Amino acid sequence: MRIAGKIVVSVLALVVFTGTAYGYSTLSSLDDVKRSSVIDAGDEPAPGEQPADGSLDILLVGRDSRTDDQGNPLSPDVLRELRAGANGDDLTDTLIVLRIPNGTQTVKAFSIPRDSYVTLPGGDKGKINAAYGHGKALEVSKLHAAGETDKTKIEQESLTAARRATRQAVEDLTGVKIDHFAEVNLLSFYDISNAVGGVEVCLNNATSDRNSGANFPAGPQKISGADALAFVRQRDGVKGTDFGRMRRQQVFLASLAHQVLSAGTLANPGRLGALIDAVKKSVVLDDSWNLLDFIGQLRGISGGGIQFTTIPVVNPDYRYSKTNPRATAVQVDPAQVKAFAASLIGAPPASPAKQAGFVVDVSNAGGTSGLAQRVSDVVKGNGFTPGTTGNATARRTSLVRYGAALATQGQAVAKLLGGLATAESPDVPAGHIEVTLGQVYSGPGASPGGNPTGGGAGAGGSGDTPITGAGNNCVD
């Protein structure tokens, strides 16, 4: 149930994209939404100005919290309707960055997998969704040590620290300076999907899953409330498990954006009012965000002008613990992620240095169609000279082989492709590095849709083309 809040994190931004006179005046009622000191004073953009990097960047966070806007636990009846347990925690299970480039009408949104293994603020290593709880716990300890006993003050100040830690972790990973922050919990999702009158989705195949409560036919259909929650929380039987589920969430958000921005929603005062009321129930904003100025900046953006994708991933099944070999996380390369985020506002990626004097041959021993050519394109995009591509005898793991003279270069290729195993071998022809891709290869080029430098969404992540509000977006 942690992912229950995953869908509503973009709704606040979607609501303020209305651009109509009614929407503009109605948004003034959001002035009393909860605020938190998440953005450092002086770092927020001035009203009407675009930040120096050319993009207004908003961090949207979904928190696993089963409380209302006053911090009170949700009633058992509501929890049953949501098919949610009574227990939550201080993990953030949705992290989405909205990049709004200066001078364009296309909003780029990218997801960060919740299990991305990163350096947390303070220097510890861990999953990025733990930054929230880690920051909160540190602040609680600090306040107790200072003699603070007011439980309400401790809770509020530790939550602010948690949000700031999450913001910092995202900035460190992506290189994006966050300008504004929005946080929601799962209650808003239920109310929002009902407020807009349901959201159109499409499935390639019928699906049924007892754990999530999903029970849907194939084809297009409109869902809301508990059914909408089941659609986005289903993991069992979904291709790509967590990544497949993330793609469903992006599809739902794209369709929700289209629904919110449609005439049927914006021209209906009752629906728009219900939508804003739903947002106000559990949203927390940074205290520098002036929503009325913001809507003025975003007039003219349509649902089809919002594009969702995912950061590049090196290995979705990363074994990061020496003491617990069963512990897994999502391995990401901060350099790839930073290049990917920069590319969303038109900043060209750094040109790779040309690696001369040898070629890189790539063989597919995993059976995935087109794999060798895609990886060869990644190799070429990073400055190496591609050699031959083809198939090889099936094997489970991947291997990079090279002669003694090309040990440094061979290890660089192995690192580029996600930290593959290496072997020095006299059998490799002079001037060649041989890459053999096994059945479990999940590095750059593993799936269609990534860019040729390995910095696109297909670099071990969902591997699919971006989701837009204008597309059909039928998914598994």
Side-chain angles (χ1 to χ4, degrees):
M1 265 313 303
R2 295 175 189 165
I3 63 100
K6 289 188 171 188
I7 303 311
V8 290
V9 293
S10 291
V11 170
L12 179 66
L14 300 179
V15 171
V16 297
F17 292 164
T18 53
T20 65
Y22 176 79
Y24 188 90
S25 61
T26 305
L27 278 173
S28 61
S29 67
L30 282 172
D31 283 345
D32 58 351
V33 72
K34 280 192 173 182
R35 301 281 182 163
S36 182
S37 181
V38 184
I39 307 300
D40 291 328
D43 285 350
E44 69 275 6
E49 291 185 359
Q50 203 75 13
D53 71 352
S55 179
L56 185 68
D57 296 299
I58 302 167
L59 175 59
L60 307 168
V61 172
R63 179 186 170 208
D64 181 27
S65 174
R66 290 148 170 79
T67 59
D68 61 17
D69 59 335
Q70 301 301 315
N72 301 311
L74 299 179
S75 70
D77 289 342
V78 172
L79 291 174
R80 278 194 297 270
E81 179 67 15
L82 294 176
R83 301 166 187 155
N87 296 322
D89 54 35
D90 286 316
L91 297 173
T92 51
D93 286 303
T94 297
L95 295 169
I96 296 177
V97 176
L98 282 173
R99 303 220 76 183
I100 306 171
N102 190 18
T104 76
Q105 294 300 304
T106 300
V107 176
K108 304 291 184 67
F110 63 84
S111 301
I112 300 172
R114 64 182 185 178
D115 290 338
S116 297
Y117 197 70
V118 301
T119 300
L120 300 173
D124 294 335
K125 290 280 190 177
K127 297 178 181 180
I128 198 167
N129 68 340
Y132 197 102
H134 187 65
K136 183 180 180 182
L138 287 177
E139 186 66 15
V140 169
S141 296
K142 177 182 175 182
L143 291 169
H144 283 161
E148 183 60 62
T149 58
D150 187 322
K151 292 183 178 180
T152 299
K153 181 177 180 180
I154 291 172
E155 176 70 6
Q156 293 306 311
E157 292 191 12
S158 64
L159 284 174
T160 295
R163 293 163 184 142
R164 292 173 69 88
T166 298
R167 186 214 75 208
Q168 187 64 57
V170 170
E171 290 183 343
D172 291 345
L173 173 63
T174 65
V176 171
K177 179 66 182 70
I178 298 301
D179 301 303
H180 290 303
F181 174 97
E183 174 195 303
V184 300
N185 62 27
L186 65 87
L187 179 61
S188 281
F189 169 73
Y190 179 86
D191 290 331
I192 287 167
S193 61
N194 284 326
V196 299
V199 176
E200 294 282 352
V201 298
C202 179
L203 285 172
N204 291 321
N205 303 290
T207 184
S208 179
D209 171 49
R210 181 179 299 179
N211 290 334
S212 64
N215 186 12
F216 303 109
Q221 53 207 285
K222 180 173 283 191
I223 57 176
S224 62
D227 284 340
L229 182 57
F231 176 83
V232 298
R233 69 182 289 251
Q234 182 182 357
R235 181 187 182 200
D236 295 341
V238 176
K239 182 179 178 181
T241 56
D242 277 339
F243 284 96
R245 183 166 59 179
M246 194 184 319
R247 187 162 175 83
R248 276 202 187 184
Q249 294 155 9
Q250 292 173 348
V251 164
F252 188 95
L253 281 172
S255 184
L256 177 59
H258 181 77
Q259 180 74 13
V260 169
L261 298 170
S262 70
T265 299
L266 300 181
N268 186 322
R271 281 193 176 174
L272 188 56
L275 181 60
I276 291 175
D277 287 342
V279 168
K280 290 169 62 176
K281 281 188 177 180
S282 54
V283 169
V284 178
L285 301 182
D286 70 86
D287 53 14
S288 67
W289 198 349
N290 185 315
L291 294 181
L292 296 183
D293 284 341
F294 181 54
I295 190 175
Q297 292 175 268
L298 299 180
R299 287 183 182 276
I301 291 176
S302 67
I306 304 174
Q307 185 180 90
F308 294 87
T309 186
T310 303
I311 65 169
V313 168
V314 173
N315 183 358
D317 190 31
Y318 177 50
R319 309 286 169 157
Y320 65 91
S321 175
K322 294 181 179 179
T323 59
N324 182 9
R326 299 184 64 183
T328 62
V330 174
Q331 185 182 16
V332 292
D333 180 346
Q336 283 188 3
V337 175
K338 288 179 174 64
F340 165 78
S343 72
L344 296 183
I345 56 170
S351 299
K354 184 67 175 179
Q355 304 285 337
F358 62 93
V359 298
V360 181
D361 303 318
V362 183
S363 297
N364 181 359
T368 302
S369 177
L371 178 62
Q373 187 58 58
R374 289 196 300 274
V375 172
S376 185
D377 289 342
V378 170
V379 167
K380 180 179 179 181
N382 281 272
F384 297 97
T385 302
T388 62
T389 59
N391 295 322
T393 303
R395 58 176 289 158
R396 183 175 184 274
T397 59
S398 303
L399 180 67
V400 177
R401 299 197 313 152
Y402 43 79
L406 292 176
T408 300
Q409 294 87 342
Q411 290 164 9
V413 171
K415 180 180 179 181
L416 167 68
L417 299 180
L420 303 184
T422 61
E424 187 175 309
S425 172
D427 297 333
V428 179
H432 288 252
I433 293 172
E434 294 182 348
V435 177
T436 302
L437 305 169
Q439 295 165 350
V440 295
Y441 177 74
S442 58
S447 302
N451 76 39
T453 65
S462 66
D464 294 301
T465 55
I467 297 295
T468 72
N472 180 40
N473 299 331
C474 210
V475 294
D476 292 322

